[in-house]
Amino acid sequence: TNENMFDTLPKTSDKTFLTNTNSKQDSAKLGYDANHNLTTINGRKIITTSTTGVGSKSVVLYIWDDDQLDSDVVSLSLNGKWILEKYELQLTKKAIRLTIDPLKPNYLILYAISQGTKGPNTAGISIDDGFTEKKLTLKGDIHTSEAVKLLLK
């Protein structure tokens, strides 16, 4: 895990808060089709599973192992920027503060690094915009990455 990318904020009993502070982070290579739809990340197929509206540019994303704790390791990308790298999913929620671009669709992509003892990786994701918290599940393996499209309402 690249811990230098984050400032750790105070912990609660079930959540660790992180905020992205490094503007020099590595970017993922995104691929698009002729209609400008997102199709790949680092050569891996992307399946956009849903579109979710958020009520604020500033959101808190929570991620955890939503299936069986089996040493799944994932990275998360928002619009091609790594916001979490090589993180082993836990039952405890990890929180990351994000800023949503109000001028375009924002793609949150789960990228599997290691499937642990049982594939595919299954991550619980919830997005709290200060008004509502929306829960969803993203899966990934070595061939595909699931994504959710976030739009500012």
Side-chain angles (χ1 to χ4, degrees), residues 3 19 31 36 38 40 44 48 54 72 86-87 89-92 100-101 104 115 121 134 141 149:
E3 294 297 327
T19 183
H36 306 287
L38 188 61
T40 61
R44 191 177 292 181
T48 301
V54 294
D72 291 341
K86 298 178 183 173
Y87 174 71
L89 292 174
Q90 303 294 317
L91 296 177
T92 304
I100 301 301
D101 187 333
K104 66 178 185 177
Q115 294 184 115
N121 289 4
K134 299 174 183 169
D141 59 29
K149 185 189 320 184

Side-chain angles (χ1 to χ4, degrees), residues 70-134:
D70 65 338
S71 302
D72 291 341
V73 178
V74 301
S75 292
L76 282 176
S77 168
L78 181 67
N79 299 328
K81 298 286 184 190
W82 295 115
I83 60 171
L84 185 65
E85 291 186 70
K86 298 178 183 173
Y87 174 71
E88 185 173 332
L89 292 174
Q90 303 294 317
L91 296 177
T92 304
K93 294 180 180 181
K94 181 171 290 290
I96 305 168
R97 295 180 194 272
L98 302 176
T99 301
I100 301 301
D101 187 333
L103 303 177
K104 66 178 185 177
N106 294 263
Y107 288 92
L108 178 68
I109 306 162
L110 180 79
Y111 191 87
I113 303 297
S114 169
Q115 294 184 115
T117 58
K118 178 185 165 194
N121 289 4
T122 304
I125 302 281
S126 66
I127 300 162
D128 186 345
D129 64 7
F131 303 101
T132 60
E133 188 169 339
K134 299 174 183 169

Side-chain angles (χ1 to χ4, degrees), residues 7-58:
D7 286 336
T8 301
L9 300 175
K11 293 181 181 181
T12 62
S13 62
D14 69 339
K15 300 170 186 169
T16 302
F17 288 87
L18 300 175
T19 183
N20 184 347
T21 60
N22 185 350
S23 61
K24 295 180 181 180
Q25 61 188 327
D26 293 335
S27 297
K29 183 177 179 185
L30 300 179
Y32 297 86
D33 65 16
N35 296 320
H36 306 287
N37 295 312
L38 188 61
T39 58
T40 61
I41 181 168
N42 293 346
R44 191 177 292 181
K45 181 180 176 180
I46 293 175
I47 301 167
T48 301
T49 59
S50 64
T51 299
T52 300
V54 294
S56 173
K57 287 187 344 181
S58 179

